[in-house]
PDB file of all heavy atoms in Angstrom:
ATOM      1  N   PRO A 201     148.601  -2.762 218.197  1.00 93.00           N
ATOM      2  CA  PRO A 201     147.877  -4.035 218.320  1.00 93.00           C
ATOM      3  C   PRO A 201     146.528  -3.845 219.026  1.00 93.00           C
ATOM      4  O   PRO A 201     146.309  -2.853 219.718  1.00 93.00           O
ATOM      5  CB  PRO A 201     148.816  -4.887 219.169  1.00 93.00           C
ATOM      6  CG  PRO A 201     149.552  -3.887 220.008  1.00 93.00           C
ATOM      7  CD  PRO A 201     149.746  -2.696 219.111  1.00 93.00           C
ATOM      8  N   LYS A 202     145.649  -4.813 218.835  1.00 93.00           N
ATOM      9  CA  LYS A 202     144.355  -4.772 219.506  1.00 93.00           C
ATOM     10  C   LYS A 202     144.544  -5.035 220.996  1.00 93.00           C
ATOM     11  O   LYS A 202     145.385  -5.834 221.388  1.00 93.00           O
ATOM     12  CB  LYS A 202     143.416  -5.819 218.913  1.00 93.00           C
ATOM     13  CG  LYS A 202     143.020  -5.538 217.469  1.00 93.00           C
ATOM     14  CD  LYS A 202     142.104  -6.635 216.949  1.00 93.00           C
ATOM     15  CE  LYS A 202     141.702  -6.371 215.508  1.00 93.00           C
ATOM     16  NZ  LYS A 202     140.828  -7.465 214.984  1.00 93.00           N
ATOM     17  N   LEU A 203     143.742  -4.352 221.800  1.00 94.00           N
ATOM     18  CA  LEU A 203     143.811  -4.549 223.248  1.00 94.00           C
ATOM     19  C   LEU A 203     143.317  -5.948 223.617  1.00 94.00           C
ATOM     20  O   LEU A 203     143.972  -6.672 224.365  1.00 94.00           O
ATOM     21  CB  LEU A 203     142.973  -3.492 223.972  1.00 94.00           C
ATOM     22  CG  LEU A 203     142.933  -3.575 225.493  1.00 94.00           C
ATOM     23  CD1 LEU A 203     144.329  -3.471 226.091  1.00 94.00           C
ATOM     24  CD2 LEU A 203     142.042  -2.480 226.069  1.00 94.00           C
ATOM     25  N   TYR A 204     142.141  -6.320 223.077  1.00 94.00           N
ATOM     26  CA  TYR A 204     141.594  -7.661 223.297  1.00 94.00           C
ATOM     27  C   TYR A 204     142.015  -8.566 222.145  1.00 94.00           C
ATOM     28  O   TYR A 204     142.059  -8.126 220.995  1.00 94.00           O
ATOM     29  CB  TYR A 204     140.062  -7.625 223.347  1.00 94.00           C
ATOM     30  CG  TYR A 204     139.478  -6.870 224.503  1.00 94.00           C
ATOM     31  CD1 TYR A 204     139.088  -5.537 224.356  1.00 94.00           C
ATOM     32  CD2 TYR A 204     139.274  -7.480 225.739  1.00 94.00           C
ATOM     33  CE1 TYR A 204     138.523  -4.831 225.410  1.00 94.00           C
ATOM     34  CE2 TYR A 204     138.710  -6.789 226.796  1.00 94.00           C
ATOM     35  CZ  TYR A 204     138.336  -5.467 226.629  1.00 94.00           C
ATOM     36  OH  TYR A 204     137.776  -4.770 227.673  1.00 94.00           O
ATOM     37  N   LYS A 205     142.307  -9.806 222.450  1.00 91.00           N
ATOM     38  CA  LYS A 205     142.667 -10.762 221.405  1.00 91.00           C
ATOM     39  C   LYS A 205     141.516 -10.917 220.419  1.00 91.00           C
ATOM     40  O   LYS A 205     141.723 -10.988 219.211  1.00 91.00           O
ATOM     41  CB  LYS A 205     143.021 -12.111 222.039  1.00 91.00           C
ATOM     42  CG  LYS A 205     143.511 -13.158 221.055  1.00 91.00           C
ATOM     43  CD  LYS A 205     143.949 -14.421 221.768  1.00 91.00           C
ATOM     44  CE  LYS A 205     142.775 -15.130 222.406  1.00 91.00           C
ATOM     45  NZ  LYS A 205     143.163 -16.430 223.029  1.00 91.00           N
ATOM     46  N   ASP A 206     140.299 -10.966 220.955  1.00 91.00           N
ATOM     47  CA  ASP A 206     139.100 -11.024 220.115  1.00 91.00           C
ATOM     48  C   ASP A 206     137.913 -10.531 220.929  1.00 91.00           C
ATOM     49  O   ASP A 206     138.026 -10.244 222.123  1.00 91.00           O
ATOM     50  CB  ASP A 206     138.853 -12.451 219.592  1.00 91.00           C
ATOM     51  CG  ASP A 206     138.903 -13.493 220.707  1.00 91.00           C
ATOM     52  OD1 ASP A 206     138.295 -13.257 221.775  1.00 91.00           O
ATOM     53  OD2 ASP A 206     139.547 -14.536 220.524  1.00 91.00           O
ATOM     54  N   ILE A 207     136.754 -10.431 220.283  1.00 92.00           N
ATOM     55  CA  ILE A 207     135.551  -9.904 220.941  1.00 92.00           C
ATOM     56  C   ILE A 207     135.100 -10.815 222.085  1.00 92.00           C
ATOM     57  O   ILE A 207     134.479 -10.367 223.049  1.00 92.00           O
ATOM     58  CB  ILE A 207     134.394  -9.732 219.915  1.00 92.00           C
ATOM     59  CG1 ILE A 207     133.244  -8.921 220.533  1.00 92.00           C
ATOM     60  CG2 ILE A 207     133.925 -11.066 219.386  1.00 92.00           C
ATOM     61  CD1 ILE A 207     133.600  -7.495 220.886  1.00 92.00           C
ATOM     62  N   GLU A 208     135.454 -12.099 222.007  1.00 95.00           N
ATOM     63  CA  GLU A 208     135.081 -13.050 223.057  1.00 95.00           C
ATOM     64  C   GLU A 208     135.734 -12.695 224.393  1.00 95.00           C
ATOM     65  O   GLU A 208     135.139 -12.907 225.453  1.00 95.00           O
ATOM     66  CB  GLU A 208     135.475 -14.476 222.650  1.00 95.00           C
ATOM     67  CG  GLU A 208     134.629 -15.043 221.528  1.00 95.00           C
ATOM     68  CD  GLU A 208     135.035 -16.451 221.156  1.00 95.00           C
ATOM     69  OE1 GLU A 208     135.913 -17.015 221.840  1.00 95.00           O
ATOM     70  OE2 GLU A 208     134.473 -16.989 220.187  1.00 95.00           O
ATOM     71  N   ASP A 209     136.958 -12.159 224.341  1.00 96.00           N
ATOM     72  CA  ASP A 209     137.653 -11.803 225.579  1.00 96.00           C
ATOM     73  C   ASP A 209     136.973 -10.637 226.292  1.00 96.00           C
ATOM     74  O   ASP A 209     136.879 -10.613 227.518  1.00 96.00           O
ATOM     75  CB  ASP A 209     139.117 -11.450 225.285  1.00 96.00           C
ATOM     76  CG  ASP A 209     140.008 -12.687 225.247  1.00 96.00           C
ATOM     77  OD1 ASP A 209     139.474 -13.800 225.404  1.00 96.00           O
ATOM     78  OD2 ASP A 209     141.224 -12.540 225.063  1.00 96.00           O
ATOM     79  N   LYS A 210     136.501  -9.668 225.507  1.00 95.00           N
ATOM     80  CA  LYS A 210     135.783  -8.533 226.110  1.00 95.00           C
ATOM     81  C   LYS A 210     134.478  -9.015 226.738  1.00 95.00           C
ATOM     82  O   LYS A 210     134.118  -8.606 227.843  1.00 95.00           O
ATOM     83  CB  LYS A 210     135.502  -7.452 225.066  1.00 95.00           C
ATOM     84  CG  LYS A 210     134.839  -6.215 225.655  1.00 95.00           C
ATOM     85  CD  LYS A 210     134.724  -5.101 224.631  1.00 95.00           C
ATOM     86  CE  LYS A 210     134.131  -3.842 225.267  1.00 95.00           C
ATOM     87  NZ  LYS A 210     134.052  -2.715 224.311  1.00 95.00           N
ATOM     88  N   GLN A 211     133.780  -9.902 226.027  1.00 96.00           N
ATOM     89  CA  GLN A 211     132.525 -10.431 226.551  1.00 96.00           C
ATOM     90  C   GLN A 211     132.771 -11.290 227.779  1.00 96.00           C
ATOM     91  O   GLN A 211     131.971 -11.302 228.716  1.00 96.00           O
ATOM     92  CB  GLN A 211     131.809 -11.257 225.466  1.00 96.00           C
ATOM     93  CG  GLN A 211     130.344 -11.538 225.773  1.00 96.00           C
ATOM     94  CD  GLN A 211     129.533 -10.275 225.999  1.00 96.00           C
ATOM     95  OE1 GLN A 211     129.550  -9.357 225.167  1.00 96.00           O
ATOM     96  NE2 GLN A 211     128.821 -10.217 227.116  1.00 96.00           N
ATOM     97  N   TYR A 212     133.902 -11.980 227.790  1.00 97.00           N
ATOM     98  CA  TYR A 212     134.284 -12.787 228.960  1.00 97.00           C
ATOM     99  C   TYR A 212     134.429 -11.902 230.195  1.00 97.00           C
ATOM    100  O   TYR A 212     133.959 -12.253 231.284  1.00 97.00           O
ATOM    101  CB  TYR A 212     135.592 -13.527 228.674  1.00 97.00           C
ATOM    102  CG  TYR A 212     136.265 -14.094 229.904  1.00 97.00           C
ATOM    103  CD1 TYR A 212     135.771 -15.231 230.540  1.00 97.00           C
ATOM    104  CD2 TYR A 212     137.400 -13.477 230.438  1.00 97.00           C
ATOM    105  CE1 TYR A 212     136.394 -15.743 231.672  1.00 97.00           C
ATOM    106  CE2 TYR A 212     138.024 -13.982 231.575  1.00 97.00           C
ATOM    107  CZ  TYR A 212     137.522 -15.111 232.187  1.00 97.00           C
ATOM    108  OH  TYR A 212     138.123 -15.618 233.312  1.00 97.00           O
ATOM    109  N   ALA A 213     135.070 -10.752 230.033  1.00 97.00           N
ATOM    110  CA  ALA A 213     135.254  -9.820 231.149  1.00 97.00           C
ATOM    111  C   ALA A 213     133.906  -9.371 231.704  1.00 97.00           C
ATOM    112  O   ALA A 213     133.682  -9.365 232.916  1.00 97.00           O
ATOM    113  CB  ALA A 213     136.068  -8.612 230.693  1.00 97.00           C
ATOM    114  N   ILE A 214     133.005  -9.006 230.799  1.00 96.00           N
ATOM    115  CA  ILE A 214     131.671  -8.537 231.212  1.00 96.00           C
ATOM    116  C   ILE A 214     130.890  -9.661 231.889  1.00 96.00           C
ATOM    117  O   ILE A 214     130.285  -9.467 232.953  1.00 96.00           O
ATOM    118  CB  ILE A 214     130.883  -7.998 229.992  1.00 96.00           C
ATOM    119  CG1 ILE A 214     131.570  -6.745 229.426  1.00 96.00           C
ATOM    120  CG2 ILE A 214     129.438  -7.689 230.364  1.00 96.00           C
ATOM    121  CD1 ILE A 214     131.026  -6.286 228.092  1.00 96.00           C
TER     122      ILE A 214
END
Side-chain angles (χ1 to χ4, degrees):
K202 293 179 180 179
L203 179 59
Y204 295 96
K205 184 175 67 176
D206 50 46
I207 192 64
E208 289 180 5
D209 275 2
K210 184 173 183 178
Q211 195 57 52
Y212 165 75
I214 295 170

